[in-house]
Amino acid sequence: MAIEQSKSDISRTRILDAAAKTFRQKGYAATTLNEIARAADMQAGSLYYHFNSKDELLEEVLDIGINRVHEAVEESQENMPADAPPYERIRAAVDAHLTTLLKHGDYTSANISIFAQIPEEIRQRQIPKRDAFSALWRRILSRAQKADALRDDVDLSMVRMLLLGALNWSVEWYKPGKTSIHAMADHVCLMLLEGIGADDVMRGTAADKEEVA
């Protein structure tokens, strides 16, 4: 019985992986159960043993996409020492977000790219999960701002949306092997918290020096 259940779990995972990839590539409307079955190298009828409909399959793909990344970021914070510096907390959250996103990119990318296409009933059930993830990031950034690690004149809502947009978009351009995910996380935090402009140029001092010379 245990072996049979294991085989069933493996088949279910194959279906979900194939569905996430197909939804990501083709969108909601153009994806059919037959296409998902072909991508999973299974008979279409076999899908109904695990899922009653395309929408039931879609909703589980969406749940996996948001739940995995939420749990990873939340765990990254729980594993930090209570006195961890705000920079380290943000860096851990960015690393967890990127690592989960890029290892399970089809799920999260499907959640992002087809959200506007999915049936309204499913979208309404997904919104609270997205809001909860946004709230988690809001707490991380707010904690850093209260500790004077972030400027008090920046709009944290804008920072959060820009940061999450940049992290989520990485699934479209990231090339495994070119750079490590951990190095990406370091670079994201460098740009976010220290900026990209050279100090003397941004303050105009470089130009002043040239005029004096």
Side-chain angles (χ1 to χ4, degrees), residues 134-152:
S134 292
L136 171 59
W137 267 105
R138 186 161 53 248
R139 290 193 298 273
I140 293 169
L141 295 173
S142 178
R143 181 173 183 167
Q145 191 175 57
K146 289 176 180 177
D148 295 326
L150 297 178
R151 287 169 43 173
D152 59 9

Side-chain angles (χ1 to χ4, degrees), residues 151-171:
R151 287 169 43 173
D152 59 9
D153 61 342
V154 297
D155 185 331
L156 289 187
S157 293
M158 188 176 296
V159 172
R160 174 176 48 81
M161 289 186 286
L162 287 171
L163 175 59
L164 294 185
L167 296 179
N168 291 339
W169 186 249
S170 67
V171 297

Side-chain angles (χ1 to χ4, degrees), residues 60-84:
E60 185 151 350
V61 166
L62 296 177
D63 284 347
I64 290 172
I66 189 67
N67 289 342
R68 280 181 176 169
V69 71
H70 186 142
E71 290 167 4
V73 173
E74 190 167 50
E75 186 175 316
S76 77
Q77 301 304 293
E78 292 172 351
N79 290 340
M80 299 289 289
D83 59 349

Side-chain angles (χ1 to χ4, degrees), residues 2-204:
I3 295 176
E4 183 179 348
Q5 181 62 43
S6 178
K7 289 180 179 179
S8 177
D9 289 344
I10 291 171
S11 295
R12 185 181 179 86
T13 299
R14 277 174 55 194
I15 294 169
L16 286 166
D17 288 347
K21 185 174 183 177
T22 307
F23 280 128
R24 177 185 181 181
Q25 293 177 341
K26 293 180 174 291
Y28 170 75
T31 294
T32 66
L33 286 177
N34 283 335
E35 287 176 306
I36 294 172
R38 283 196 295 272
D41 195 23
M42 300 172 67
Q43 296 295 319
S46 299
L47 270 63
Y48 288 102
Y49 176 79
H50 301 278
F51 301 95
N52 293 321
S53 66
K54 182 177 86 168
D55 283 355
E56 183 180 329
L57 184 51
L58 166 70
E59 192 154 13
E60 185 151 350
V61 166
L62 296 177
D63 284 347
I64 290 172
I66 189 67
N67 289 342
R68 280 181 176 169
V69 71
H70 186 142
E71 290 167 4
V73 173
E74 190 167 50
E75 186 175 316
S76 77
Q77 301 304 293
E78 292 172 351
N79 290 340
M80 299 289 289
D83 59 349
Y87 180 94
E88 292 301 324
R89 286 189 170 277
I90 294 175
R91 197 268 174 207
V94 169
D95 190 277
H97 188 127
L98 279 175
T99 299
T100 307
L101 177 70
L102 296 176
K103 286 186 175 179
H104 307 286
D106 286 334
Y107 287 91
T108 309
S109 184
N111 192 304
I112 297 165
S113 62
I114 69 171
F115 192 73
Q117 309 168 18
I118 65 178
E120 181 63 22
E121 183 179 353
I122 296 176
R123 182 161 54 246
Q124 289 303 316
R125 286 196 292 270
Q126 289 293 310
I127 288 175
K129 299 171 186 178
R130 288 178 156 224
D131 289 346
F133 185 53
S134 292
L136 171 59
W137 267 105
R138 186 161 53 248
R139 290 193 298 273
I140 293 169
L141 295 173
S142 178
R143 181 173 183 167
Q145 191 175 57
K146 289 176 180 177
D148 295 326
L150 297 178
R151 287 169 43 173
D152 59 9
D153 61 342
V154 297
D155 185 331
L156 289 187
S157 293
M158 188 176 296
V159 172
R160 174 176 48 81
M161 289 186 286
L162 287 171
L163 175 59
L164 294 185
L167 296 179
N168 291 339
W169 186 249
S170 67
V171 297
E172 302 299 331
W173 55 261
Y174 175 68
K175 302 295 182 185
K178 188 173 183 180
T179 186
S180 73
I181 296 174
H182 299 309
M184 284 177 58
D186 286 338
H187 209 69
V188 167
C189 290
L190 176 67
M191 292 187 291
L192 174 68
L193 300 175
E194 298 185 33
I196 62 173
D199 287 344
D200 57 348
V201 174
M202 294 301 288
R203 291 195 298 263

